[in-house]
Amino acid sequence: MSESSAPTTQRITLAKAINLGLRAALEGDPKVMLMGEDIGMLGGVFRVTDGLQKDFGPDRVVDTPLAESGIVGTAIGLALRGYRPVCEIQFDGFIFPAFDQITTQLAKMRYRSRGRLSLPVVIRVPFGGGIGAVEHHSESPEVLFAHTAGLRVVSPATPSDAFTMIQEAIASPDPVLFFEPKGRYWDKAEVDLTATSGAGLDAARVARVGTDVTVVAHGPTVATALRAAAAAATQGTSIEVVDLRTISPLDTATIAASVRKTGRCVVVHEAPVLYGTGAEVAARITEECFFSLEAPVLRVGGFHSPYPVARLEHEYLPSLDRVLDAVDRAMAM
Amino acid sequence: MNEPDLVQLLTHTGERVDHPDYSPRVAHLDPEALRGLYRDMVLVRRFDTEATALQRQGELGLFPPALGQEAAQVGSGRALAAQDYVFPSYREHGVAHTRGVDLVDVLRQFRGVDHGGWDPREHNFHLYTLVIGSHTLHATGYAMGLQRDGLVGSGDPTRDAAVVAYFGDGATSQGDTNEAFVFAAVNNAPVVLFCQNNQWAISEPTERQSRVPLVERGKGFGVPSVRVDGNDVLACYAVTAEALERARSGGGPTFIEAYTYRMGAHTTSDDPTRYRSAAEEEHWRRRDPIDRLRTHLTAIGELSQQVEDEIAADAEALGVRVRAEVHAMATPSTRVMFEHVYAGPNAVVDAERAWFEQYEESFTDVPAGTEVPR
């Protein structure tokens, strides 16, 4: 076997894929630095930054004081000085102390400086439920940021996307909210470890081709949608799964192309349905392909209640059954 | 409240006093330099007066006057080296002036034609920040960047750099400001946290922000702290120069409380007569920072009537220019709404821009007699 055909792929978890993506970024650009709580010696509470401080030192992999606004606020200053900080927010529900810095400062600096200032800051957020955590440890706040102009909001669903998207997010001149599906951290897949980029930060992808119903998902619900598609196939229903990958900007073109083909659409996410990603997708699909629709766009997601106690979260999360129920309703109309 | 001592080099009646630590910091300021500080303060006050008038006449949406804080701003601003970087709040017109920002540009935001108004990197003077205290963290992060760039403690005074964050007494209550103290202290960041305690956060006195003199707060964070007479331009210069030198040489952050007074309103939207007494205002009027330096310079025979007249003429010319240039600030093109939201193309922004351009074009006047296609 020649050297060029040596295998470059490895079967790794989504968490390890992000770890290796961060490592590649740290190796590739001396201005890249990581900052967050417990990311150094401990390697992060999910071990996503495992081993990085040991290899890149405490000035590039920084254990910060326990202060989320401080993490993002100082990252803004570092970015103004030419650094590319990658902040870790330990859990989704702890991002709110930093919400002000993210929405009033990080998102708007380029705009209000008329392009003179650039803030290439990445904020990594382990998000979503299904791991039996206590309160504030299982939230899905992605649309709060997608609603803010100036931010890019993305969420990888696979180890392969996690590996390339984290590198693309760090390379982006815009601030990126990088939502990591923590319930999928241990999912494994083959990843090409030589890839520095993939499909980009702006494109959705068709994760499974189908003809009857389009199921749109992102992050942790992509796997749920794929399981639903496999189950539906045994009943003779062909589901096409679109993995959004990006929540802002929304890749309406890819979704619309799928819906024009299938005529039906179900949007699935863990965040509450009210004013959620599904509302945006449904509105845009209605505007763009009204005459291709055979049924209203349906939504499956969380309820308009605070995230429930862990013993009830599987009733709150969009389950295989709830997705299939929505698919059946769409097919019946 | 047991009030801590103020560093003072010029009494409010204009007499020079010695301070063992700080007098040497201003020893090099000759009469020419002192006249320069005086001129700076007079120009900044004239700008302030003009901007306030422009707001009253409906030419500006809002204006936050710095009236009374000229010494704190000019004194500290003139202590900066070119390579130092400043993160202002929104009232730092005097500091902006010392950094070479055209004061007209400061008004672009208040005129409503820009969210910024100048190139921060051209002047090492960041854009104004309106969310109270946010920029104290940006300053601290920038200072951490200087450390990583090897621009602290190298021993080369032309290279080593520091950062100053300006904020008010109200900002000391904000979480971000307190977090900035934490980050600055644990990182030994080369940042000077410069609080202009102007006694009032809109209508709330400092006693509503703190049970102790503000300067005491720095100590809890392990940050060396000093309280200075904020209406004494020499003392403000001296304490800032010392703090900057410590920062640049690797000695870490300093907290300065410049004890001063906002003689005007918080912004042109509030009415100070509703929340403070005429007696209080009179007390501080007698401590006017400009009068103080003028009295001193006159007493030592270094401010002739001719020089005073020249400075007054320069100030008047600035006022006239500010007025004319504010009037000339045009409403930007609607295209500006869609520019620089993101670095590159963005499907949502691009689609909305395209839609809006088409919408605007639909209003284009059609010459009379033209047959309009249906």
Side-chain angles (χ1 to χ4, degrees), chain A residues 17-242:
Chain A
I18 298 170
N19 176 276
L20 293 175
L22 291 170
R23 178 176 287 277
L26 285 160
E27 279 168 354
D29 181 352
K31 292 294 188 184
V32 172
M33 55 181 291
L34 314 185
M35 45 201 297
E37 298 156 10
D38 309 300
I39 68 167
M41 295 277 273
L42 182 65
V45 292
F46 291 105
R47 309 291 184 268
V48 171
T49 54
D50 191 26
L52 298 177
Q53 189 184 63
K54 186 173 142 287
D55 293 343
F56 296 95
D59 273 352
R60 295 193 65 198
V61 181
V62 184
D63 272 323
T64 64
L66 208 162
E68 286 77 12
S69 192
I71 294 168
V72 176
T74 52
I76 289 171
L78 281 154
L80 289 171
R81 186 63 214 170
Y83 287 82
R84 304 185 90 88
V86 183
C87 306
E88 177 176 301
I89 298 294
Q90 202 156 68
F91 281 92
D92 34 45
F94 304 156
I95 200 167
F96 299 105
F99 191 80
D100 168 57
Q101 283 288 350
I102 297 169
T103 56
T104 74
Q105 306 298 318
L106 184 63
K108 296 179 168 71
M109 205 79 87
R110 173 181 294 280
Y111 183 74
R112 70 190 182 97
S113 70
R114 312 287 316 124
R116 292 180 181 114
L117 302 178
S118 182
L119 293 183
V121 175
V122 176
I123 300 177
R124 296 180 36 241
V125 193
F127 87 116
I131 64 165
V134 294
E135 64 172 343
H136 312 304
H137 289 66
S138 301
E139 302 191 4
S140 301
E142 59 271 30
V143 292
L144 297 175
F145 300 98
H147 196 64
T148 302
L151 302 175
R152 290 174 174 276
V153 183
V154 303
S155 181
T158 66
S160 194
D161 262 352
F163 179 67
T164 52
M165 284 171 74
I166 189 65
Q167 295 179 74
E168 288 165 336
I170 294 168
S172 168
D174 291 316
V176 180
L177 272 287
F178 193 84
F179 281 93
E180 301 171 2
K182 72 167 94 79
R184 306 292 179 196
Y185 268 151
W186 302 278
D187 288 5
K188 281 188 171 180
E190 291 287 326
V191 175
D192 178 358
L193 298 177
T194 60
T196 54
S197 64
L201 292 179
D202 288 357
R205 83 185 163 104
V206 176
R208 177 186 170 119
V209 176
T211 52
D212 295 330
V213 183
T214 298
V215 174
V216 176
H218 70 266
T221 55
V222 173
T224 313
L226 288 170
R227 281 172 56 221
T234 65
Q235 308 292 317
T237 304
S238 172
I239 291 178
E240 177 148 307
V241 176
V242 174

Side-chain angles (χ1 to χ4, degrees), chain A residues 31 33 59 62 65 67 69-70 73-74 77-78 81 83 100-101 105 110-112 114-116 150-151 173-174, chain B residues 115-116 118-119 121 126 128 131 134 137-138 141-142 145-146 148-149 151 176 179 183 337 339-343:
Chain A
K31 292 294 188 184
M33 55 181 291
D59 273 352
V62 184
S69 192
T74 52
L78 281 154
R81 186 63 214 170
Y83 287 82
D100 168 57
Q101 283 288 350
Q105 306 298 318
R110 173 181 294 280
Y111 183 74
R112 70 190 182 97
R114 312 287 316 124
R116 292 180 181 114
L151 302 175
D174 291 316
Chain B
H115 283 317
W118 59 90
D119 186 342
R121 283 170 308 194
H126 191 68
Y128 277 2
V131 180
S134 294
L137 284 167
H138 308 164
Y142 195 96
L146 291 177
R148 282 164 175 72
D149 290 343
L151 296 175
D176 276 3
E179 291 185 23
F183 276 73
M337 288 196 288
E339 286 173 353
H340 305 298
V341 184
Y342 294 91

Side-chain angles (χ1 to χ4, degrees), chain A residues 111-114 116, chain B residues 105 107-118 332:
Chain A
Y111 183 74
R112 70 190 182 97
S113 70
R114 312 287 316 124
R116 292 180 181 114
Chain B
D105 290 338
L107 297 180
R108 293 187 190 283
Q109 179 158 42
F110 301 109
R111 174 74 164 173
V113 300
D114 205 313
H115 283 317
W118 59 90

